[in-house]
Structures are given as C-alpha cells and as structure tokens.
Amino acid sequence: QFDHGFYRARYGLAEAADAVRDYCDTGWRKGRNPRPDFNGWAYRAHHPYVEATGIAPFVHFLATALLRGDDVSDAGFHPRYGTMPSAEDAELFEQARLIEPLFDAPWYLRRYPDTCGFENGPVIHFLSHGQEEDRDPSKAFSTRFYRRAYGHLLAPGESPFLHYVRTGRSAGLMAAPEDLGTYPPMDAPEP
C-alpha cells in the first residue's frame, strides 16, 4: 500500500534509502505521507489516541483495517482522511512540525474543548486560530505574556510560540510569568 515512487520524489529520498523505514521511523513525525491520497495530519486529528501509541498513522490505519476485515487492496483503498496539504499550506505544516515537540495537545484539548472537532488537529488549530485568540499551547507557555514581553523581537506576523521554539528558548527568554500560575510548579531539590 506504500507508494515508494511518490514518497521518494516528494521528500527527496535517495533510491538506496528504505522509504518505508524512513516513514515509520521519522517521516510521519515530520508530516510526511506514504501516498498522495492519505493525509497523516488529518488521520491523527480524527484519531488523537494514535499519537500516544507512537505508531505511524498509516501503519495504524492499515492494522485497524485488517483487524476489521476491511478491503485494503488498491480497489478498496479509501482512507477518507483528506488529501495532501496544498503548497500554500506547506509553511503552516512546517511550523506545526517545529512546535509539536513543545506543544501539549492533550492539555490544549482539555483547556479549549471547542477545538476537539477541528479537522487538522490541535497544533494546526493553535497556529491558524488559537494564537490570535491568545490561547496557550501548553501550561508552561503564555502567549499573551510572551507577546507583551517580547513583542519587539517578533517579526511582523510571527507566532510568539514559534519565536520561542526557534530562538527564545535557547536565548533564555521566559515562557510565562511565574506569578500567573501558568508556569509548572517548581520543586526544591532533595537535601
């Protein structure tokens, strides 16, 4: 079911490299898709529990289909999870890939339950809507605080959280004020 030619051409993989291994190990985490008619971001948005398994979305899709006895031959393949992101969405998905390691998706969904049905998942919701509404990507980062404290460092239209992930964190900028309660509790070291 894996489209080797598509994957190699789309993501610039050498002929000698194992495309399936690349997808299963790191490709799906980078937003790569195994075939043109399967969108891993959309699949993860529809099945948020898959994220916790650490299994590539396409592998999970195929395993679930086989367990149900669904036809996964080329004639019966119909993932129903959208198509590849368009070229104009490529930058948005690249930003999502960058912030995802520090983005707390389960916390975001609990904090903002109105985002649960968003087609492309909580990370994309945050980038496309949430940050403009001063929503926070995790309990350790305050969008409003960061924008007010370091807004002069942001490029026009730049996401405060993206700035923090790219440069602010390594520069030692604060993610949230400690006195607002959004910063994780600090524990004293053992004696």
Side-chain angles (χ1 to χ4, degrees), residues 85-93:
S86 61
E88 56 269 10
D89 290 337
E91 177 61 25
L92 182 67
F93 284 101

Side-chain angles (χ1 to χ4, degrees), residues 22-163:
D22 180 81
Y23 172 75
C24 290
D25 288 348
T26 60
W28 69 272
R29 288 183 175 90
K30 296 176 182 176
R32 295 179 175 180
N33 293 297
R35 53 188 291 154
D37 56 357
F38 185 86
N39 184 338
W41 288 98
Y43 186 82
R44 288 160 62 190
H46 284 85
H47 305 87
Y49 54 87
V50 172
E51 193 78 31
T53 67
I55 298 172
F58 192 59
V59 173
H60 186 272
F61 169 76
L62 290 174
T64 304
L66 290 172
L67 285 172
R68 285 192 311 245
D70 294 345
D71 180 16
V72 291
S73 66
D74 281 338
F77 185 85
H78 181 49
R80 301 179 307 279
Y81 297 108
T83 56
M84 295 289 295
S86 61
E88 56 269 10
D89 290 337
E91 177 61 25
L92 182 67
F93 284 101
E94 175 60 19
Q95 290 177 10
R97 185 189 66 76
L98 290 172
I99 71 168
E100 197 167 25
L102 296 177
F103 186 88
D104 189 344
W107 180 87
Y108 189 83
L109 292 170
R110 279 192 313 275
R111 172 99 171 160
Y112 310 109
D114 61 310
T115 65
C116 288
F118 192 73
E119 181 180 351
N120 289 314
V123 177
I124 299 298
H125 180 275
F126 172 75
L127 286 170
S128 60
H129 305 293
Q131 64 188 350
E132 297 305 319
E133 299 165 354
D134 280 338
R135 297 184 187 210
D136 299 330
S138 73
K139 64 182 176 183
F141 185 89
S142 170
T143 302
R144 179 176 290 164
F145 166 79
Y146 198 87
R147 184 179 282 124
R148 287 182 179 167
Y150 308 113
H152 62 285
L153 301 174
L154 304 177
E158 184 177 15
S159 158
F161 191 52
L162 186 62
H163 180 272

Side-chain angles (χ1 to χ4, degrees), residues 141 145-146 150 153 163-164 167-176 183:
F141 185 89
F145 166 79
Y146 198 87
Y150 308 113
L153 301 174
H163 180 272
Y164 176 74
T167 58
R169 186 171 178 220
S170 61
L173 302 181
M174 289 178 61
Y183 204 78

